[in-house]
Amino acid sequence: MKKVGIIGLGEYLPAKILTNADLERMVDTSDEWITTRTGIKERHLAARGEAASDLAAKAGGQALKDAGLKPEDIDLVIVATITGDMPTPSVAAILQDKMGMKDAACFDISAACAGFVYAISTAHQFIACGSYKNALVVGVEVLSSVTDWQDRNTCVLFGDGAGAAVLSEVKSGGIVSTYLGCDGSRTGVLNIPAGGSGNPATHETVDKRMHYLKMQGNELFKIAVNTMTRAAEEALRRAGLTFSNVNLIIPHQANSRIILAVAKKLGIPEDKVYLNIERCGNMSSASTATALCEAAREGRVKKGDIVLLDAFGAGLVWGAMVIKW
Ligand code: ACO
């Protein structure tokens, strides 16, 4: 099996920014509540008509440039998203055309907030066994399109964005271990009830606002802390490492209180935890992707460092990964 690593990263955040003060004018909430309960101050929102593939193309183009590759060098495209341009075809297929990655294999992965870790892990397997050479993996969401802007329980949480990574064979370092999993018995705590084959769109589903994300936040909070802690422990055990070896943890950015509770349980100091939730909110699969890109750009990840990705989301899925930079 070949060693596989990340050789390029990119990010795109839409220009429009929605602040907590803006939300105060839309629903019964306050900057104080949002900040203290979630750590979020503002989030980026896609413009009307700006689809997931548009965001993905901007992040993907940056990642290719960072990797020093051309679109035709990419033979595998995997997009992690729950807010694709349309139910079919995949965002990956649309992205392939937009970026000129002719003939590359293309598919999407639906694993909500753990989607980027799932997608990186999938690309890893394909490259390690020699089926493909260079993969573009994108975590992208336009969550504003499935957010109920009348529901204060959810609308203060989410944002839009895209993060991308190019994976290829590397001589040293690379992906050391992965731990993916799911508890499918808890699909009811976080879902979009209508719009799929189980409940196709009708006037009634639209009137009942069933095409928006529904979440039992309080219930999820405890599960998120325990699951992310367990996933991180297992990924490190599989890597033969301990938390003292970790230079930086890139967690899914659902809530700063969840992240800091996980870090505390794991005994990881706060300065080893990367956060972009204050500026971006929860961007589901794009959260770990953009956080990794920003951390690398800011010099927080150096050659030889051990980086731990740790994510959790609707499914309920989890995914943790240890990467030697
Ligand atoms: N502004 C003001 N008050 C609010 C708001 C708001 N925006 N939202 C809720 N409240 C109120 C509630 O109505 C409730 O009032 P009540 O006590 O009178 O009934 C009170 O605040 C407390 O509500 P809780 O839901 O208990 O608040 P909590 O501290 O749990 O915070 C939150 C809510 C931020 C959603 C938190 O539970 C959370 O982050 N949960 C986990 C989210 C998560 O992990 N998601 C998974 C990934 S997302 C994905 O996969 C797409």
Side-chain angles (χ1 to χ4, degrees):
M1 298 286 264
K2 299 175 200 294
K3 279 187 183 176
V4 179
I6 292 174
I7 63 161
L9 288 163
E11 176 194 39
Y12 174 71
L13 299 171
K16 184 178 174 188
I17 291 174
L18 186 78
T19 65
N20 290 350
D22 295 327
L23 281 161
E24 283 177 351
R25 290 187 283 275
M26 294 161 64
V27 288
D28 181 16
T29 191
S30 65
D31 172 48
E32 199 265 333
W33 191 97
I34 303 169
T35 306
T36 54
R37 296 293 182 118
T38 72
I40 302 167
K41 282 295 209 185
E42 59 187 34
R43 65 290 287 149
H44 293 254
L45 299 188
R48 188 165 276 276
E50 200 178 15
S53 64
D54 297 316
L55 276 59
K58 288 185 172 136
Q62 250 189 40
L64 278 194
K65 199 169 164 206
D66 191 37
L69 295 183
K70 296 191 181 61
E72 55 270 29
D73 297 324
I74 299 294
D75 53 3
L76 176 65
V77 183
I78 307 179
V79 174
T81 189
I82 57 165
T83 49
D85 295 29
M86 52 185 99
T88 192
S90 65
V91 176
I94 301 169
L95 182 64
Q96 185 219 51
D97 184 52
K98 282 189 175 165
M99 290 183 61
M101 299 176 292
K102 199 170 178 302
D103 290 340
C106 294
F107 60 93
D108 291 357
I109 282 184
S110 174
C113 306
F116 186 67
V117 181
Y118 264 68
I120 293 271
S121 171
T122 307
H124 173 204
Q125 312 303 318
F126 275 121
I127 298 169
C129 70
S131 303
Y132 294 95
K133 208 160 173 282
N134 300 308
L136 176 66
V137 174
V138 185
V140 59
E141 301 293 357
V142 182
L143 289 178
S144 58
S145 65
V146 292
T147 297
D148 184 345
W149 294 103
Q150 295 178 12
D151 176 13
R152 71 173 184 174
N153 290 296
T154 52
C155 76
V156 301
L157 303 173
F158 302 117
D160 303 335
V166 175
L167 273 78
S168 204
E169 184 178 0
V170 290
K171 291 206 169 60
S172 62
I175 294 165
V176 185
S177 73
T178 306
Y179 174 49
L180 308 178
C182 176
D183 174 4
S185 71
R186 310 304 304 275
T187 53
V189 292
L190 176 56
N191 61 28
I192 298 174
S197 56
N199 219 343
T202 61
H203 285 292
E204 194 193 355
T205 61
V206 173
D207 289 345
K208 288 185 172 168
R209 312 184 76 74
M210 290 168 71
H211 296 267
Y212 297 122
L213 268 167
K214 310 283 178 202
M215 184 170 87
Q216 292 171 29
N218 202 282
E219 177 79 7
L220 266 177
F221 194 99
K222 288 163 264 172
I223 308 173
V225 173
N226 291 331
T227 309
M228 286 176 73
T229 304
R230 194 165 54 84
E233 283 169 347
E234 181 57 20
L236 276 171
R237 192 192 65 74
R238 291 180 183 196
L241 297 171
T242 68
F243 289 101
S244 62
N245 302 116
V246 175
N247 298 96
L248 191 68
I249 173 164
I250 310 269
H252 171 52
Q253 315 273 320
N255 185 318
S256 59
R257 287 188 295 135
I258 293 178
I259 295 170
L260 297 179
V262 171
K264 194 172 172 197
K265 277 185 127 185
L266 297 173
I268 295 183
E270 283 183 26
D271 63 350
K272 287 189 174 183
V273 181
Y274 192 85
L275 292 171
N276 68 3
I277 187 168
E278 187 180 346
R279 291 176 284 110
C280 299
N282 178 353
M283 300 183 291
S284 192
S285 69
S287 278
T288 32
T290 56
L292 179 61
C293 178
E294 290 173 14
R297 197 172 60 205
E298 291 165 17
R300 297 276 305 268
V301 186
K302 295 178 203 68
K303 193 159 175 53
D305 277 0
I306 296 294
V307 178
L308 173 65
L309 306 185
D310 191 10
F312 166 84
L316 298 174
V317 290
W318 57 87
M321 175 177 281
V322 176
I323 305 173
K324 185 165 186 198
W325 215 250

